[in-house]
Amino acid sequence: METLAKRSKEASNVLQHVNSEEKSVVLLKMIKELDKKRPEIFEANKLDKENADKLVKAGTLSTSLYKRLDLVSGDKFSTMLQGISDIEKLEDPTGKITYANKLDEGLELYRVTSPVGVLLVIFEARPEVVVNISALAIKSGNAVILKGGKESINTLNALTNAIRTALVDTAIPQNAIQLVETREKIKELLDLDKYIDLVIPRGSNNLVRFVQENTRIPVLGHADGLCTVYVDKDADVEKAKRIVLDSKVNYPAACNSAETLLVHREILSSHLLPIIKTLLEANVKLHLDQEILFYLSSSSSLSIDNNPLIQLCENKDFDTEFLDLEIAVKVVDDLNSAIQHINLHGSKHTDSIVTNNKEAAKRFMQGVDSAGVYWNASTRFADGFRYGFGAEVGVSTNKTHARGPVGLEGLVIYKYKLFGTGHIVSEFGEGEGMKQYLHQKIDNFDQIL
Amino acid sequence: METLAKRSKEASNVLQHVNSEEKSVVLLKMIKELDKKRPEIFEANKLDKENADKLVKAGTLSTSLYKRLDLVSGDKFSTMLQGISDIEKLEDPTGKITYANKLDEGLELYRVTSPVGVLLVIFEARPEVVVNISALAIKSGNAVILKGGKESINTLNALTNAIRTALVDTAIPQNAIQLVETREKIKELLDLDKYIDLVIPRGSNNLVRFVQENTRIPVLGHADGLCTVYVDKDADVEKAKRIVLDSKVNYPAACNSAETLLVHREILSSHLLPIIKTLLEANVKLHLDQEILFYLSSSSSLSIDNNPLIQLCENKDFDTEFLDLEIAVKVVDDLNSAIQHINLHGSKHTDSIVTNNKEAAKRFMQGVDSAGVYWNASTRFADGFRYGFGAEVGVSTNKTHARGPVGLEGLVIYKYKLFGTGHIVSEFGEGEGMKQYLHQKIDNFDQIL
């Protein structure tokens, strides 16, 4: 594995010199080569599906995982190729000047975005991720080591072969894209912080946690997606109903779905009751706190007896990512209690307030320490494509580097380029004949190479 | 320790609401309070110095460390207070909009810089760091847990008491600044990734390595500073002499000093010889490779016999941070060999090429994977103040978040604020009556709270 990682680092060093045009050439060649190799890739995918089918029948593989393996049905393959084309059209995230300062006559400092280096991407199930990630890595000038799920190993090999064939006779070395097959190798790779600069786990909570706990390399990702909608006392009831419903039922398995609903005590009859009715109609199971249950039992408009969708919540429900048609519901005293609850129980992913009160929205958006803080909008908007990034590397709940949905910008860092004409530090300082730093902002980037 | 860390997190939550004006009030109060408490602080510093003096006499403490303890001599104290005033005048790094996109009518997305949260700063010796870091933390809206050297414990306590007194009756809770006294607690704190968002170790290689190897929390810093100057075949010899000398002797103990000199094979007599003479005159010990020694022994202009400053290098010299008047010198075949040597042996800190060849400079600056890549300038310019940041949090050799000298920007991350008017995801998509995302750049930030 060390040899493999070292080869990636060498490829990364070559990639530092590759320009935007050369990257585009490679991405367009990738599309052609994948299209040309479509029969072999479909053959490999068929083999993976046959093997998986046996496991499904033996009860050791879920049908949902089986479905995700498939690359043949519908327009999956052409969507995959379209994805490369979309990434090719995005702006190159490297070579951007983000700081420029004239330190002295003939001494100019530029901060320029540059690739992170070598990425390790670990993913499960969907084999087309290998193509998507390769395209993102090339566009951002990074080398990548890919580790996919073992169920799709034949498809992954066929896809990777096509991609590596496309790299022949281009500015980018083949080792910029490398595939690792066996799961046992992951731990070994996670130790190679000398060669690998960033790990991106895309998959289950367990996978992400395992990676976070077994490496010194920075990890970009999120284990949990515990999002909350807070319905404030000044909320519009129709908006509250729409937003809670969409946040929960639009795609319950997504990390940006709501798992907790907080409601201000003063609006139980005016707001909570219609929201609960809406959720029950959508077949959402409700974990309600004692106060809400008591309120409902004394309210004549909704019968809760023997309703299998209604149950008393437990404390752990507010720390649970249901990923299903289930939600925990709690009454709070006020806005501050809502903020405190979210900062304590949430996963710093995305949280939304429904209110017509601008001051309450402001306080919520400042006080909630999450990657996304929303006012009168569904938590489901937390997504790189919806945010307008054109591509998504993943969603991060980190507090450093990249936070929230991460586009290509998350795959770059910067370096400082200093252009001098023989400058030395000992000529600067206090006292007679010493130079002073100018520190003038540069607006015209002529000097930069 | 968990209680202490939790208190910091609570203080951090309050800090999210504090505006620039309130921060300035606190920083100015800090200056007043420290000035007022100067007698007590000097008394505490005297006590620390007395205790340290005994250790120096017993031979268990170095005199250089003793000197760094001192806060009384010269203008040290007023320089420390001036530092707070300088930080107060800097632009607030939070609340800046770095992305603004209109997703739909009435649905606007803003990426806004915000504090990282809770910092753990571990430092050695100089007690005034506690004041500097507290000021940086307050300016950037972060809570901080400080752990200083045990030799300056009385001074640290006196300084921290003054700072915390200044926080009384302000918008910032006292627990925004907390001091930890015992070294044994560090390991416990490094486990508290639930409450601590960023660790900044400022001190020896050993300290930084210990921190890096014992925490899952992101670490901002650098263990080594192994900087290289490469003298290209197209270098101006006078510039080469100046830059090599300044990079090595201006302040040898600094992390941005040069530890390795690479020279192109074609310029041994024209360039290397005068450089070596210059370094010998400055009393620099030279670890020369075999080829250079052979060349020198056959050259008539410099006698190397019995010169204690000249010795044959060993392989390990090119991985050694001398931090003293010593440098390893090696001949390379060409520019690419120089780049490869630096990427293999350097510490990704700062490296400089001396050349008049623009293409060579471009290739070097793209190919060397370091935080700072310089053309015809001394490596000693790698410093937050020289870069024009006004304040320095530290120097980072990380490949994520912050790289190179880090100013206040390294203490912030961002959050996405989404302003809707009842928007839900299920109204967007393909097909009749479905909405499309607008994704229009916003230039006028009216909506933002």
Side-chain angles (χ1 to χ4, degrees), chain B residues 157-433:
Chain B
N157 268 319
L159 291 168
T160 311
N161 282 341
I163 296 168
R164 286 172 59 101
T165 304
L167 293 177
V168 173
D169 292 330
T170 72
I172 298 178
Q174 281 197 302
N175 285 335
I177 312 287
Q178 295 193 88
L179 184 71
V180 175
E181 298 197 6
T182 51
R183 198 187 163 88
E184 298 72 50
K185 300 296 178 191
I186 295 182
K187 223 169 155 198
E188 221 176 300
L189 284 166
L190 292 176
D191 273 335
L192 296 172
D193 54 334
K194 191 177 166 189
Y195 300 112
I196 300 170
D197 300 296
L198 185 63
V199 189
I200 307 177
R202 298 192 10 164
S204 67
N205 294 15
N206 287 344
L207 170 69
V208 179
R209 265 185 229 290
F210 174 82
V211 170
Q212 284 170 336
E213 278 161 22
N214 285 284
T215 190
R216 280 188 306 273
I217 308 170
V219 179
L220 194 153
H222 67 285
D224 295 309
L226 208 160
C227 304
T228 296
V229 177
Y230 165 58
V231 181
D232 187 47
K233 71 178 164 65
D234 297 321
D236 176 281
V237 65
E238 286 309 313
K239 283 180 186 162
K241 273 163 61 180
R242 277 163 65 81
I243 289 167
V244 171
L245 189 70
D246 191 76
S247 297
K248 181 66 258 185
V249 310
N250 179 258
Y251 185 30
C255 62
N256 56 12
S257 288
E259 309 291 1
T260 297
L261 169 65
L262 301 177
V263 182
H264 195 286
R265 175 162 293 120
E266 288 177 24
I267 52 163
L268 295 193
S269 68
S270 59
H271 292 63
L272 182 60
L273 204 57
I275 291 169
I276 282 182
K277 284 180 183 168
T278 306
L279 288 170
L280 289 175
E281 280 164 22
N283 210 29
V284 178
K285 188 170 179 179
L286 306 171
H287 301 257
L288 305 173
D289 75 8
Q290 190 71 60
E291 184 174 348
I292 299 173
L293 275 179
F294 183 79
Y295 167 77
L296 290 181
S297 65
S298 65
S299 138
S300 56
S301 71
L302 183 75
S303 166
I304 58 167
D305 297 338
N306 301 321
N307 188 334
L309 288 176
I310 289 184
Q311 64 182 66
L312 178 65
C313 69
E314 299 172 61
N315 282 336
K316 69 169 175 51
D317 291 337
F318 295 101
D319 300 305
T320 300
E321 195 182 358
F322 298 108
L323 294 172
D324 208 339
L325 288 174
E326 287 187 58
I327 194 163
V329 191
K330 187 186 167 78
V331 170
V332 292
D333 296 338
D334 53 21
L335 174 61
N336 280 342
S337 308
I339 295 172
Q340 276 173 28
H341 179 96
I342 293 169
N343 284 342
L344 195 62
H345 297 277
S347 66
K348 303 189 185 304
H349 192 297
T350 304
D351 303 287
S352 183
I353 182 172
V354 186
T355 187
N356 286 331
N357 183 328
K358 196 170 169 170
E359 274 311 305
K362 181 179 174 179
R363 203 162 169 82
F364 180 90
M365 293 169 99
Q366 282 191 335
V368 169
D369 182 24
S370 295
V373 285
Y374 291 4
W375 180 19
N376 288 340
S378 165
T379 58
R380 290 272 300 133
F381 283 105
D383 170 279
F385 293 95
R386 288 171 195 156
Y387 275 16
F389 301 160
E392 187 179 274
V393 174
V395 176
S396 161
T397 53
N398 295 359
K399 298 290 290 288
T400 55
H401 188 60
R403 196 179 192 199
V406 181
L408 280 170
E409 280 182 46
L411 299 184
V412 302
I413 181 73
Y414 50 77
K415 53 165 76 168
Y416 287 94
K417 295 188 177 181
L418 182 66
F419 298 86
T421 45
H423 284 77
I424 57 175
V425 159
S426 57
E427 289 181 342
F428 291 80
E430 303 299 319
E432 191 148 326

Side-chain angles (χ1 to χ4, degrees), chain B residues 96-148:
Chain B
K96 289 186 182 176
I97 296 166
T98 59
Y99 181 82
N101 201 316
K102 183 171 172 174
L103 309 188
D104 186 26
E105 290 305 330
L107 185 65
E108 298 193 352
L109 178 71
Y110 295 87
R111 183 168 66 198
V112 188
T113 60
S114 57
V116 163
V118 176
L119 316 175
L120 169 61
V121 181
I122 306 166
F123 57 101
E124 294 167 334
R126 297 191 305 117
E128 62 265 40
V129 168
V130 85
V131 173
N132 180 245
I133 292 288
S134 296
L136 290 167
I138 286 168
K139 185 75 188 184
S140 56
N142 290 285
V144 64
I145 301 170
L146 294 143
K147 167 72 188 77

Side-chain angles (χ1 to χ4, degrees), chain A residues 97 99-100 110 442-448:
Chain A
I97 296 165
Y99 181 82
Y110 295 87
I442 303 170
D443 295 311
N444 184 356
F445 305 148
D446 282 344
Q447 172 76 279
I448 191 87

Side-chain angles (χ1 to χ4, degrees), chain A residues 205-249:
Chain A
N205 293 16
N206 286 343
L207 170 70
V208 179
R209 265 185 229 288
F210 173 82
V211 170
Q212 285 170 335
E213 278 162 22
N214 285 283
T215 191
R216 279 188 305 272
I217 308 170
V219 179
L220 193 152
H222 67 284
D224 295 308
L226 208 160
C227 304
T228 297
V229 177
Y230 165 58
V231 181
D232 187 47
K233 70 179 166 62
D234 297 321
D236 175 283
V237 66
E238 286 310 313
K239 285 180 186 163
K241 273 163 62 180
R242 277 163 65 83
I243 289 168
V244 171
L245 189 69
D246 191 77
S247 298
K248 181 67 257 183
V249 311

Side-chain angles (χ1 to χ4, degrees), chain A residues 432-449:
Chain A
E432 191 146 328
M434 300 299 276
K435 290 199 213 179
Q436 302 297 311
Y437 289 95
L438 294 179
H439 291 153
Q440 290 166 352
K441 196 171 159 239
I442 303 170
D443 295 311
N444 184 356
F445 305 148
D446 282 344
Q447 172 76 279
I448 191 87
L449 295 177

Side-chain angles (χ1 to χ4, degrees), chain A residues 300-426:
Chain A
S300 55
S301 70
L302 183 76
S303 167
I304 58 166
D305 296 337
N306 300 320
N307 188 335
L309 289 176
I310 290 184
Q311 63 182 65
L312 179 63
C313 69
E314 300 171 62
N315 281 337
K316 71 170 173 49
D317 291 337
F318 295 101
D319 301 304
T320 299
E321 196 182 0
F322 298 108
L323 294 172
D324 208 338
L325 288 174
E326 288 186 57
I327 194 163
V329 190
K330 187 185 166 79
V331 171
V332 292
D333 296 339
D334 53 22
L335 174 61
N336 280 343
S337 308
I339 295 172
Q340 277 173 29
H341 179 97
I342 293 170
N343 285 341
L344 194 63
H345 297 276
S347 66
K348 302 189 185 306
H349 191 298
T350 305
D351 304 287
S352 182
I353 182 172
V354 186
T355 186
N356 286 332
N357 183 328
K358 196 170 169 171
E359 273 310 305
K362 181 178 175 181
R363 200 159 173 85
F364 180 89
M365 294 170 99
Q366 282 192 335
V368 170
D369 182 25
S370 296
V373 283
Y374 292 4
W375 179 19
N376 287 340
S378 164
T379 57
R380 291 272 299 133
F381 283 105
D383 171 279
F385 293 94
R386 290 172 194 153
Y387 275 16
F389 302 160
E392 187 178 275
V393 173
V395 176
S396 160
T397 53
N398 295 358
K399 298 291 289 286
T400 55
H401 188 60
R403 196 179 193 199
V406 181
L408 281 170
E409 281 182 43
L411 300 183
V412 302
I413 181 72
Y414 50 76
K415 54 165 73 167
Y416 286 94
K417 296 188 175 181
L418 182 66
F419 299 86
T421 45
H423 284 77
I424 56 175
V425 160
S426 56

